[in-house]
């Protein structure tokens, strides 16, 4: 049966789930005005006129990383250590101490994958933070960090996550997903955890009562079909676990990395990406625009195109 944009629009208006094939068609062919209007209507239906954020800071333990992702402007390999930083546990605890009880409700801990910062190191960090701030929410470690930590410690994902949860970790961020297609992954981030491992780690966390977010890295060498495939795997997992709080499209930024020859996509492409995500996910309530990465102005604009979450206050505590 030949798909028509009109039929797909009717499905969306009737609040029926759109298929991957239908999503690909509207991602490639639907006019901007139509996509944007539908995404905003769905945002209003799900979240009325509310925009969500939390009061948080980022702690980035290190930018030294064993992995060599081509799109990353942030990390330094061990051999480039002179351009890197490594915080001690006490330094990171001091960062939390600088804030009064009511100033922050969440600490977001994510950084490079350092060979010397393992599972026990981070368990100690979490325990020390919880000792001084028992009520603070700790959202920590991408699946990439967790895969490496568990592998080095020779424990299963379940055991590793259980140890972190018992120490006081509350949830997982969504980073490291990039694009699930192996074809693209092999070019842009060949050496880090696989798509299957990323999904398995999040599934394991959800089964243990730890919620998480999910991301996509768009605007580089991927094609629309890769975007839909990526979202499809996340939607399928969410059908099983209901553990994802938010979906976060992350725009590829071309400054100072190994893919800098690529031109960044336009703001219209950004809005299309966020709009299609809002229309596709009928089982994830929040679409988040991470403002430190995409910019304050674009984030404000995106609130009219499906976005209802803008991450956190952050207080300039991220170097990403």
């Amino acid at each position: 049966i030949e798909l028509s944009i009109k039929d797909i629009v009717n499905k969306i208006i009737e609040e029926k789930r759109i298929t991957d094939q239908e999503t690909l068609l509207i991602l490639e062919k639907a006019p901007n005005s139509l996509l944007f209007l539908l995404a905003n209507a769905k945002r209003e239906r799900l979240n009325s006129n509310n925009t969500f954020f939390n009061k948080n800071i980022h702690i980035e333990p290190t930018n030294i990383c064993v992995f060599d992702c081509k799109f990353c402007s942030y990390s330094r390999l061990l051999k480039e250590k002179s351009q890197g930083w490594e915080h001690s546990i006490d330094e990171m605890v001091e960062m939390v101490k600088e804030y009064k009880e009511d100033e922050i409700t969440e600490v977001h801990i994510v950084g490079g994958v350092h060979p010397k910062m393992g599972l026990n190191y981070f368990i100690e960090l979490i325990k020390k933070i919880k000792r001084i701030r028992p009520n603070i929410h700790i959202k920590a470690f991408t699946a990439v960090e967790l895969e490496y930590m568990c592998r080095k410690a020779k424990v299963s994902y379940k055991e590793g996550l259980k140890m972190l949860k018992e120490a006081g970790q509350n949830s997982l961020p969504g980073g490291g997903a990039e694009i699930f297609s192996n074809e693209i992954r092999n070019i842009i981030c060949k050496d880090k955890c696989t798509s299957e491992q990323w999904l398995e780690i999040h599934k394991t966390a959800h089964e243990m009562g730890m919620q998480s977010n999910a991301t996509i890295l768009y605007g580089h060498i991927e094609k629309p079909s890769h975007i839909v495939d990526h979202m499809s795997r996340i939607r399928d997992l969410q059908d099983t676990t209901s553990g994802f709080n938010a979906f976060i499209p992350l725009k590829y930024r071309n400054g100072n990395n190994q893919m800098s020859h690529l031109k960044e996509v336009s703001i219209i492409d950004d809005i299309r990406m966020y709009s299609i995500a809002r229309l596709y996910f009928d089982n994830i309530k929040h679409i988040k625009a991470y403002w430190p990465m995409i910019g304050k102005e674009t984030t404000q604009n995106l609130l009219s195109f499906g976005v209802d979450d803008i991450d956190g206050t952050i207080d300039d505590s991220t170097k990403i």
Side-chain angles (χ1 to χ4, degrees):
I1 316 160
E2 198 178 325
L3 293 172
S4 84
I5 288 178
K6 191 179 172 190
D7 292 338
I8 302 166
V9 169
N10 286 334
K11 268 182 92 169
I12 292 167
I13 291 167
E14 289 164 16
E15 297 177 26
K16 290 178 180 162
R17 173 171 282 197
I18 52 174
T19 66
D20 293 356
Q21 203 182 350
E22 290 165 342
T23 306
L24 186 59
L25 181 71
I26 57 170
L27 178 56
E28 291 184 313
K29 301 274 168 62
N32 292 331
S33 52
L34 179 63
L35 264 191
F36 301 166
L37 186 74
L38 290 167
N40 190 50
K42 187 165 179 188
R43 174 190 68 82
E44 288 182 339
R45 183 167 58 73
L46 288 173
N47 296 298
S48 67
N49 235 355
N50 297 318
T51 295
F52 300 89
F53 65 94
N54 62 30
K55 296 193 285 187
N56 66 347
I57 55 163
H58 279 228
I59 292 179
E60 288 153 19
T62 183
N63 68 336
I64 304 289
C65 192
V66 297
F67 299 124
D68 184 27
C69 301
K70 305 294 177 243
F71 52 81
C72 185
S73 316
Y74 167 87
S75 71
R76 296 289 173 265
L77 294 166
L78 271 176
K79 63 176 186 282
E80 307 164 310
K81 208 171 173 180
S82 59
Q83 301 166 329
W85 73 82
E86 297 170 44
H87 292 307
S88 69
I89 287 175
D90 290 344
E91 282 172 338
M92 292 187 271
V93 172
E94 281 305 315
M95 291 175 196
V96 179
K97 277 186 185 166
E98 281 171 28
Y99 294 86
K100 294 190 192 83
E101 284 282 339
D102 61 339
E103 286 176 330
I104 53 168
T105 55
E106 179 191 276
V107 179
H108 180 129
I109 306 170
V110 60
V113 178
H114 194 298
K116 290 200 178 74
M117 293 180 175
L119 190 58
N120 291 326
Y121 180 90
F122 287 118
I123 285 168
E124 190 187 337
L125 171 64
I126 290 170
K127 281 180 175 170
K128 283 192 169 173
I129 291 173
K130 283 283 170 143
R131 215 165 284 153
I132 57 160
R133 293 290 297 276
N135 298 325
I136 206 151
H137 183 101
I138 296 181
K139 179 166 74 184
F141 317 122
T142 64
V144 177
E145 292 165 89
L146 289 163
E147 184 278 325
Y148 185 82
M149 262 185 240
C150 293
R151 177 158 43 102
K152 289 277 280 194
K154 296 184 169 58
V155 295
S156 67
Y157 301 147
K158 190 175 180 179
E159 289 169 297
L161 284 163
K162 186 170 180 280
M163 289 158 79
L164 290 162
K165 189 183 179 189
E166 283 170 359
Q169 181 173 333
N170 302 97
S171 66
L172 276 63
E178 321 316 356
I179 283 269
F180 288 147
S181 156
N182 286 333
E183 176 195 350
I184 303 295
R185 216 173 178 81
N186 283 337
I187 298 168
I188 67 170
C189 57
K190 194 176 181 175
D191 55 354
K192 75 166 159 204
C193 86
T194 64
S195 315
E196 291 71 29
Q197 287 169 326
W198 191 98
L199 290 159
E200 192 190 334
I201 287 167
H202 282 262
K203 180 173 188 272
T204 306
H206 297 171
E207 286 166 350
M208 295 169 64
M210 293 170 87
Q211 291 190 310
S212 69
N213 292 328
T215 59
I216 184 171
L217 182 74
Y218 72 93
H220 44 96
I221 61 168
E222 86 289 352
K223 294 187 171 69
S225 58
H226 298 126
I227 290 173
V228 176
D229 165 67
H230 184 97
M231 295 196 302
S232 177
R233 300 194 212 189
I234 288 166
R235 189 168 75 174
D236 287 350
L237 180 55
Q238 182 72 341
D239 279 343
T240 308
T241 66
S242 303
F244 289 118
N245 280 323
F247 181 71
I248 314 164
L250 297 172
K251 179 178 187 163
Y252 166 67
R253 309 309 306 241
N254 67 3
N256 189 29
N257 58 51
Q258 297 171 67
M259 287 162 57
S260 291
H261 58 281
L262 296 176
K263 199 165 167 262
E264 287 184 10
V265 297
S266 72
I267 187 156
I268 296 296
D269 293 318
D270 296 332
I271 299 172
R272 284 185 77 86
M273 177 68 232
Y274 280 87
S275 297
I276 206 80
R278 181 61 290 167
L279 295 173
Y280 184 79
F281 287 110
D282 54 356
N283 58 1
I284 296 179
K285 194 176 179 190
H286 305 289
I287 301 294
K288 178 186 290 203
Y290 180 53
W291 66 263
M293 203 161 176
I294 200 156
K296 292 177 188 175
E297 224 169 290
T298 303
T299 299
Q300 285 176 305
N301 285 323
L302 287 167
L303 294 173
S304 302
F305 304 104
V307 168
D308 67 285
D309 185 321
I310 55 170
D311 196 72
T313 49
I314 293 172
D315 191 31
D316 287 336
S317 58
T318 179
K319 297 185 180 70
I320 292 172

